[in-house]
Amino acid sequence: MIYTVTLNPALDRTMWVERIRYDQSNRIVREDRFAGGKGIDVSRGLTNLGVPNVALGFLGGFTGEEMRARLQNENVTCDFVRIHDETRTNIIIHELSSGRQLSFNAEGPEVKPHEIKQLVEKLDALAEAELVVISGSLPPGLHHDIHRKLIESVRQHGAKVLLDLTGPSLRVGINSRADYIRTDASELAVQTGGELITTADVLAAARHLQKETGGTVLVSTAARETMLVDDEHELIATPPVVKVESTTGAADAAIAAFLYGLQRCEPVETCLRYAVAAETAKTMT
């Protein structure tokens, strides 16, 4: 069984307008609301691909209840810890005339120590877990070292860990020797302390990170390539050129498809192809 952990989920309120006009009323052409958060998006992708999984994390207030209901309507299995504070709402505005989008991401609720303890206890009890995905931002007041505790809880049952984090949180995961790390070239530069200009630069930095963890590193680049580095491979996949509707959730779709391949015991080359195909398809919607 695959589990995903989203510590700071959000209800994504997405609106489309013809053109953004400042200091004037803007008429909304279309509006949708989605249960969002990186781990949740991975769970959604896994569910769509027919891979059994459970979404874990924190949900609170009326917004949290709406998110839970929306996920249930999508057949995403959930086991969230209910918290006292309200789950955050993000605002995404698509400008149809330009194809651009604006994102306003809220900080999120404060998670109490006893609520954190409940999540850790859930992870401690995951005897059947094969792999756990930990991704996304931290809510206010929660220290990045929480990821070390989560990884320790997962590892006691022999489960593998995939991380999609940034900054100090990712460094904690690297030091904990995560089995899989998904990142992008800009974050890779932060973690390895170098300027990454060419493809060779990115590959060398990815290899450095892979040696630190001993696992598998997946890196997306500004040139739209995706690289995979493990003990035996240095692979580069280039997606086809498509009309991009939105990049929201594309990286999470890639993770879901990569795990789909792993579940089928496919070669890593095939898993990487699945990842890039899913990521590309997601940008078209």
Side-chain angles (χ1 to χ4, degrees):
M1 178 68 76
I2 296 176
Y3 291 82
T4 66
V5 179
T6 309
L7 299 178
N8 199 17
L11 181 68
D12 289 340
R13 186 179 176 191
T14 306
M15 292 168 279
W16 286 259
V17 299
E18 185 59 38
R19 186 183 304 276
I20 297 174
R21 303 178 186 277
Y22 294 93
D23 300 319
Q24 298 182 39
S25 294
N26 289 273
R27 183 175 296 278
I28 297 171
V29 176
R30 173 187 161 201
E31 180 175 353
D32 276 318
R33 297 158 76 92
F34 304 96
K38 294 188 69 61
I40 286 174
D41 283 340
V42 173
S43 272
R44 179 182 287 111
L46 288 169
T47 300
N48 290 338
L49 291 168
V51 180
N53 72 96
V54 179
L56 304 173
F58 301 115
L59 288 178
F62 291 110
T63 304
E65 287 306 305
E66 178 180 347
M67 287 187 61
R68 192 190 308 273
R70 288 183 177 277
L71 289 170
Q72 288 173 348
N73 286 341
E74 296 181 64
N75 296 316
V76 176
T77 304
C78 306
D79 189 17
F80 288 95
V81 173
R82 183 176 178 84
I83 62 174
H84 180 267
D85 284 357
E86 190 88 10
T87 294
R88 63 184 176 143
T89 298
N90 294 335
I91 305 296
I92 300 105
I93 302 174
H94 294 272
E95 186 178 52
L96 295 172
S97 61
S98 67
R100 296 181 299 178
Q101 69 179 39
L102 286 170
S103 296
F104 300 90
N105 294 341
E107 193 174 35
E110 181 181 349
V111 181
K112 307 294 192 298
H114 72 275
E115 295 165 342
I116 298 169
K117 183 173 180 290
Q118 289 180 55
L119 178 61
V120 172
E121 288 173 349
K122 284 184 182 292
L123 293 175
D124 285 340
L126 298 182
E128 79 283 13
E130 301 169 72
L131 188 142
V132 177
V133 179
I134 304 173
S135 58
S137 64
L138 285 173
L142 204 58
H143 193 269
H144 54 257
D145 197 52
I146 183 63
H147 291 110
R148 178 186 56 79
K149 178 59 180 173
L150 298 181
I151 292 170
E152 288 176 355
S153 295
V154 169
R155 284 263 174 79
Q156 67 179 334
H157 299 297
K160 293 185 177 181
V161 179
L162 186 152
L163 299 182
D164 186 5
L165 305 170
T166 60
S169 293
L170 179 55
R171 176 44 57 183
V172 169
I174 293 168
N175 293 342
S176 298
R177 297 179 65 83
D179 302 279
Y180 300 92
I181 288 177
R182 185 272 159 197
T183 188
D184 58 33
S186 60
E187 180 62 30
L188 183 61
V190 171
Q191 296 296 332
T192 57
E195 187 177 10
L196 308 181
I197 299 174
T198 67
T199 297
D201 292 338
V202 179
L203 270 176
R207 174 58 66 191
H208 176 81
L209 195 63
Q210 190 275 331
K211 288 180 178 178
E212 283 195 81
T213 64
T216 299
V217 176
L218 287 160
V219 183
S220 59
T221 73
R224 300 177 62 251
E225 299 169 324
T226 299
M227 302 179 182
L228 182 148
V229 177
D230 63 14
D231 286 334
E232 301 176 359
H233 303 89
E234 285 188 359
L235 305 174
I236 302 176
T238 303
V241 176
V242 297
K243 181 181 178 181
V244 175
E245 176 72 21
S246 173
T247 59
T248 302
D252 308 313
I255 291 173
F258 182 78
L259 296 179
Y260 167 78
L262 291 182
Q263 288 281 295
R264 292 165 55 94
C265 299
E266 300 279 7
V268 292
E269 295 92 339
T270 302
C271 295
L272 181 59
R273 289 189 180 101
Y274 287 158
V276 173
E279 183 172 25
T280 304
K282 184 66 180 72
T283 66
M284 298 169 66
T285 67

